[in-house]
Amino acid sequence: NQFLLAEEKNKAIILTMNRPKVMNCLNFDLLYALRDQIDALHCRSNIRTVIITGAGKKSFCAGADLKERATLTQGEVKKFIITIRNLLTSIQNLPIPVISAVNGIALGGGTEVALASDIRIASKNASMGLTETKLAIIPGGGGTQRLPRIIGVAKAKELIFTGRRVDAKEALAIGLVNKITTP
């Protein structure tokens, strides 16, 4: 699939969201490609870990594709939210470790993908946040539940209510990521 690259090596699979020109934003095509890969992994015994990352040097995933979203009907928006919510639950429920390699910007749905993973490793240039409130919407993919479980209720409320981004150093300090690496 052109929207999602899958590379297997050493009993691991690297899933690379491949829409670098639009900062790996999530559209239906990318969501469906991710869903199909994750669903298949639930049944595979030869893969021991999953690494999710984004193509290019700028972005892990900048969230929902707002240009696509602007063309969607109310029903299609609801379908999009249900699709991402189900995908993230499926990632969280994989019986093998899932690592998000956050290279660059991870906003909204991008941060939610990372939150659904077991381990989050950020490059020094990472920037993360549930920035939806700046668009007068709420994180729809489960971030409002996962973020407080990972970093605590008070800090999660601050980040969600303000829509503030955190850099890699702050993400490590608050427990949002497990480790920082070079890009």
Side-chain angles (χ1 to χ4, degrees):
N1 185 306
Q2 68 196 37
F3 301 106
L4 182 71
L5 307 177
E7 178 188 1
E8 293 182 29
K9 61 182 182 189
N10 301 330
K11 296 191 179 198
I13 187 165
I14 302 167
L15 300 177
T16 304
M17 295 175 278
N18 190 37
R19 300 185 71 217
K21 289 180 180 163
V22 291
M23 300 178 85
N24 302 311
C25 282
L26 298 166
N27 64 357
F28 273 114
D29 291 327
L30 179 52
L31 285 178
Y32 292 153
L34 269 166
R35 179 199 61 196
D36 293 348
Q37 281 287 343
I38 298 300
D39 285 352
L41 288 168
H42 279 277
C43 304
R44 292 187 59 184
S45 58
N46 63 327
I47 296 294
R48 301 306 262 313
T49 192
V50 181
I51 300 168
I52 301 174
T53 194
K57 296 181 179 174
K58 291 181 183 174
S59 182
F60 172 74
C61 172
D65 185 332
L66 298 178
K67 286 185 179 162
E68 179 188 73
R69 191 168 187 155
T71 69
L72 302 179
T73 65
Q74 283 289 91
E76 290 167 330
V77 170
K78 190 172 186 175
K79 182 179 177 184
F80 184 90
I81 292 167
I82 290 167
T83 302
I84 192 168
R85 192 176 297 152
N86 290 342
L87 168 65
L88 297 174
T89 299
S90 190
I91 289 170
Q92 182 176 310
N93 291 337
L94 271 175
I96 55 178
V98 178
I99 301 167
S100 275
V102 181
N103 51 322
I105 292 172
L107 301 175
T111 289
E112 290 184 309
V113 169
L115 290 170
S117 303
D118 299 299
I119 297 170
R120 289 158 298 285
I121 299 175
S123 66
K124 289 177 184 174
N125 66 340
S127 175
M128 301 176 74
L130 296 177
T131 54
E132 288 89 340
T133 55
K134 292 189 176 207
L135 303 171
I137 56 177
I138 63 164
T144 57
Q145 286 79 47
R146 290 185 182 96
L147 187 64
R149 290 180 191 139
I150 292 168
I151 69 168
V153 173
K155 185 55 82 170
K157 283 182 177 182
E158 173 196 332
L159 295 182
I160 292 167
F161 294 166
T162 64
R164 186 169 68 81
R165 296 182 189 195
V166 295
D167 63 14
K169 191 174 174 184
E170 185 177 358
L172 181 64
I174 65 174
L176 178 54
V177 300
N178 302 76
K179 185 177 180 178
I180 299 174
T181 65
T182 54

